Amino acid sequence: MFRAIKEQVETIFREDPAAKSVLEIVLCYPGFHAVMLHRVAHWLYKMRLYLLARLWAQFNRALTGIDVHPGAKIGRRFFIDHGMGVVIGETAEIGDDVLLYQGVTLGGTGKERGKRHPTIGNCVVVGTGAKVLGNITIGDHVKIGAGSVVIRSVPEYSTVVGIPGRVVRTRFGTSDDLEHGRLPDPEGQAIDDLSKRVEHLETLLQTLMDEKLAQKR
């Protein structure tokens, strides 16, 4: 347990430049509280103490504003940054070194039974307000932009943005940075291309009309 706490504290120091001390993290970081409390809830769940596990998870939610079902499987060095509103479903599986921002949902898409929540690979970053829904797989080193809605599996080393989420970049590398201000915007690019096309056609039409008027004169 002490090793898990030490590892979690080291993870927060690595991921959050605002962290100033161990005492601050232990007392003031809801993401830290949520992960450590979930470890207990998940152990109770595996012991088939389902009601007690749900009660512990409910306490976790009331304390932190983070809703993690006790059945969710979460790997090592998991960090929830400014975690208010994060929801993680029962059959979600999360790998190691995963970072979630505020308002992320790892949810289902209906009332189906069995595996119905996402499987998240290692070294994945999910931006603020993103929704990852259904029994899909998010590969290792994937970056999901803020506000995206992902309903299809994503290959490793990809960047996903939009509604529905689209792969806009695939690269090989190990950086965990997710620079939201520099992410591609497929819808915006399509609108920009369409505007340029309309402008070109209007210019062409005006040229033809001018030539026709010149011939009449």
Side-chain angles (χ1 to χ4, degrees):
M1 176 61 72
F2 289 108
R3 180 180 298 179
I5 293 174
K6 181 176 181 291
E7 187 175 67
Q8 195 66 33
V9 168
E10 290 173 347
T11 298
I12 294 173
F13 271 125
R14 184 180 68 247
E15 298 290 354
D16 187 0
K20 298 297 189 295
S21 69
V22 173
L23 188 61
E24 179 191 17
I25 290 172
V26 172
L27 295 178
C28 303
Y29 272 66
F32 171 81
H33 302 149
V35 172
M36 301 315 300
L37 290 171
H38 172 72
R39 303 295 186 196
V40 177
H42 186 62
W43 180 82
L44 292 170
Y45 190 85
K46 290 193 297 183
M47 294 296 102
R48 298 180 182 274
L49 301 172
Y50 298 126
L51 179 58
L52 188 57
R54 287 303 301 269
L55 289 171
W56 191 261
Q58 192 70 12
F59 168 70
N60 188 357
R61 180 188 181 192
L63 178 68
T64 66
I66 298 169
D67 187 354
V68 188
H69 193 284
K73 298 177 181 178
I74 296 177
R76 297 173 61 186
R77 297 177 297 276
F78 174 61
F79 179 40
I80 303 173
D81 194 4
H82 296 287
M84 183 64 69
V86 167
V87 177
I88 301 175
E90 178 186 14
T91 61
E93 298 179 33
I94 301 173
D96 298 333
D97 301 294
V98 172
L99 171 60
L100 304 186
Y101 286 96
Q102 179 267 335
V104 167
T105 298
L106 306 180
T109 57
K111 296 182 179 180
E112 67 274 16
R113 297 185 178 276
K115 184 71 168 75
R116 59 192 184 279
H117 298 101
T119 298
I120 309 295
N122 300 320
C123 303
V124 173
V125 181
V126 186
T128 302
K131 315 300 177 188
V132 185
L133 306 175
N135 181 18
I136 61 176
T137 299
I138 307 300
D140 296 344
H141 298 279
V142 167
K143 312 294 179 285
I144 299 175
S148 301
V149 178
V150 184
I151 56 175
R152 295 184 178 86
S153 294
V154 178
E156 61 182 13
Y157 291 100
S158 299
T159 299
V160 180
V161 300
I163 304 174
R166 301 178 185 176
V167 175
V168 295
R169 185 184 300 153
T170 302
R171 63 179 178 83
F172 291 91
T174 57
S175 172
D176 286 334
D177 294 334
L178 184 61
E179 300 180 68
H180 292 104
R182 298 184 180 181
L183 289 176
D185 181 1
E187 288 79 11
Q189 185 62 49
I191 293 172
D192 186 52
D193 291 343
L194 182 59
S195 297
K196 290 178 180 179
R197 180 62 175 167
V198 170
E199 183 179 355
H200 173 71
L201 292 173
E202 287 177 342
T203 301
L204 181 60
L205 179 60
Q206 186 63 49
T207 300
L208 292 173
M209 291 178 65
D210 291 343
E211 290 178 354
K212 190 171 181 179
L213 288 172
Q215 289 175 359
K216 287 183 178 181
R217 292 174 186 171

